[in-house]
Amino acid sequence: MAKVLPPFRADVVGSLLRPAAIKEARLQFQSGAINAEQLRAVEDAEILRAVELQREAGLQVVTDGEFRRAWWHFDFFEGLNGVEAFEADHGIQFNGIQTKSRAIKVTGKVSFNTQHPMLAHFRYLNSIAGDVTAKMTIPSPSVFHFRGGRKAIDSQVYPTLDAYFDDLAQTWHDAIHAFYAAGCRYLQLDDTVWAYLCSDDQKRQIRERGEDPKQLARIYADVLNKALAGKPADLTIGLHVCRGNFRSTWISEGGYEPVASILFGEVNVDEFFLEYDNDRSGGFEPLRFIKPGHQQVVLGLVTTKNGELEDPALLKARIAEAVKYVDIKKLCLSPQCGFASTEEGNSLTEAQQWAKLRLVVDTAVAVWSK
């Protein structure tokens, strides 16, 4: 496939199903049967195994499967300065199911903690990656604001939100540079909010809480671009846009058209990981807004929400459809999301998970090795 820098023709979003050993060790840690060091040893061993399996699947990029996390986002947020976690009255509502209770609030000036535990998490991953690329995944700043909105931000700390958004941009700017200093050359920002801004129902809820979806899109683009300003030239940063992923369910639906001109036309990431595994994601037409130049698109055509393998011929046909809007040289392939955005995981087996990743690799070889 002759691609030595990310994104790779066959790429991976991030999270993997938690192995039984991880689940058992977490329960033992919570009960006090083992200590933090013993838990970390189990995590290290399972991450090493996951890296080996990703390499065996043929991937040129590996993640730690987010094995040390309970959530794809809260674990990162809780490591920032100025943030407190708490048990909310209810979980996050998905299609027909609700997550366990968790929320955050801003109680002080937001900034990046230079001792953030995920820096060490990346260093370990990087140390075992060998000759493939280690990718780090963290949530986007858009999610940090959107999840709680104004009501989750102490008005005495931030009487107005201008200073808050400036601090948000600086926090992610500092995070980007901290991961780079730790050796990271491939960083992915996970973001559900841009897809919410495409959903009529979600936009209604945004208006009901007193905010303007169009204004939020502009604010989030500006925050992202400020965070990305001055990033090292040899650091690839991607933005993964998802409509929700919890126990094989989702939150929002709707194509990318409502945000395409701002998201694809103005946000200065190097690549977009885009969910395209179902009708809820809409067509490829919004990709016409992808900026000329180096930006690339990773098509999330292989679903992580069930274990049924896609037809390779259909995957190739869909890639051919996307080529009408983006040059084939700027396209790549991946699953549409992670396999376990939370520790509960999606409704498929580990064997099906690895089969899905091998399918991504095999399809990419067939398409881009011609």
Side-chain angles (χ1 to χ4, degrees):
M1 291 180 282
K3 204 167 188 302
V4 297
L5 294 174
F8 299 102
R9 296 302 182 200
D11 217 302
V12 62
V13 171
S15 64
L16 298 169
L17 295 171
R18 307 301 195 265
I22 290 279
K23 294 179 179 180
E24 177 62 23
R26 286 202 171 277
L27 290 174
Q28 291 177 327
F29 177 70
Q30 290 165 8
S31 70
I34 64 173
N35 60 30
E37 185 177 349
Q38 291 170 308
L39 171 61
R40 186 168 59 252
V42 174
E43 292 170 342
D44 286 352
E46 290 301 320
I47 290 169
L48 176 59
R49 175 176 170 271
V51 166
E52 291 171 348
L53 288 170
Q54 288 172 85
R55 291 167 60 97
E56 288 176 13
L59 290 165
Q60 296 173 268
V61 54
V62 295
T63 75
D64 65 2
E66 301 179 6
F67 283 177
R68 304 187 201 272
R69 310 184 203 182
W71 305 80
W72 64 276
H73 52 350
F74 286 135
D75 297 67
F76 179 82
F77 295 155
E78 291 170 21
L80 301 176
N81 298 323
V83 178
E84 287 185 14
F86 65 99
E87 299 302 316
D89 295 335
H90 54 79
I92 301 167
Q93 185 63 51
F94 278 70
N95 184 45
I97 192 171
Q98 194 175 102
T99 69
K100 59 192 174 187
S101 170
R102 196 65 175 174
I104 57 166
K105 56 185 176 182
V106 174
T107 57
K109 288 285 186 178
V110 180
S111 65
F112 185 71
N113 176 6
T114 57
Q115 301 302 312
H116 198 293
M118 288 189 184
L119 294 171
H121 298 173
F122 175 77
R123 291 189 189 100
Y124 175 71
L125 173 65
N126 203 34
S127 74
I128 62 173
D131 59 356
V132 298
T133 299
K135 179 203 274 190
M136 186 64 188
T137 61
I138 64 173
S140 166
S142 317
V143 181
F144 183 82
H145 168 260
F146 186 87
R147 181 51 56 205
R150 169 77 259 195
K151 70 179 185 300
I153 304 167
D154 191 315
S155 59
Q156 292 188 325
V157 178
Y158 291 107
T160 66
L161 290 185
D162 288 346
Y164 165 81
F165 285 120
D166 285 342
D167 285 352
L168 206 57
Q170 188 63 49
T171 297
W172 260 258
H173 179 276
D174 293 345
I176 288 168
H177 286 263
F179 280 107
Y180 182 84
C184 182
R185 297 298 180 268
Y186 194 9
L187 181 67
Q188 178 180 296
L189 306 178
D190 291 317
D191 198 319
T192 54
V193 178
W194 288 98
Y196 294 170
L197 296 176
C198 299
S199 162
D200 290 339
D201 182 60
Q202 288 293 313
K203 286 189 286 187
R204 175 188 58 76
Q205 293 182 40
I206 292 169
R207 294 187 189 98
E208 287 176 354
R209 74 183 199 185
E211 295 176 304
D212 179 353
K214 290 184 178 180
Q215 183 183 32
L216 283 184
R218 170 54 57 200
I219 290 170
Y220 293 152
D222 290 345
V223 168
L224 280 165
N225 283 339
K226 288 177 181 177
L228 293 164
K231 84 168 181 67
D234 60 339
L235 171 62
T236 299
I237 296 184
L239 186 71
H240 169 232
V241 180
C242 166
R243 290 164 180 77
N245 187 50
F246 173 68
R247 289 187 167 179
S248 297
T249 61
W250 66 89
I251 290 180
S252 64
E253 52 189 323
Y256 299 100
E257 191 69 29
V259 299
S261 61
I262 294 178
L263 177 61
F264 303 147
E266 299 183 28
V267 176
N268 296 323
V269 291
D270 299 304
E271 57 179 330
F272 293 98
F273 281 80
L274 300 177
E275 184 178 55
Y276 266 122
D277 66 324
N278 54 62
D279 292 341
R280 291 182 294 103
S281 304
F284 295 122
E285 293 83 359
L287 298 183
R288 70 188 184 278
F289 287 103
I290 293 291
K291 291 189 293 187
H294 75 285
Q295 276 189 330
Q296 299 184 64
V297 175
V298 186
L299 299 173
L301 299 177
V302 174
T303 192
T304 65
K305 295 189 185 298
N306 64 65
E308 183 179 351
L309 278 180
E310 286 79 357
D311 180 349
L314 180 58
L315 295 177
K316 294 172 189 175
R318 297 210 66 203
I319 293 169
E321 287 179 43
V323 170
K324 297 175 184 177
Y325 305 97
V326 180
D327 190 298
I328 187 69
K329 294 178 181 178
K330 297 177 68 174
L331 292 175
C332 301
L333 178 66
S334 77
Q336 116 281 348
C337 196
F339 292 90
S341 298
T342 68
E343 60 188 347
E344 290 84 1
N346 282 351
S347 301
L348 72 167
T349 66
E350 287 188 54
Q352 290 172 324
Q353 166 185 265
W354 297 116
K356 291 268 185 178
L357 291 176
R358 287 192 295 272
L359 174 63
V360 169
V361 172
D362 291 346
T363 304
V365 169
V367 171
W368 284 281
S369 293
K370 296 177 181 178

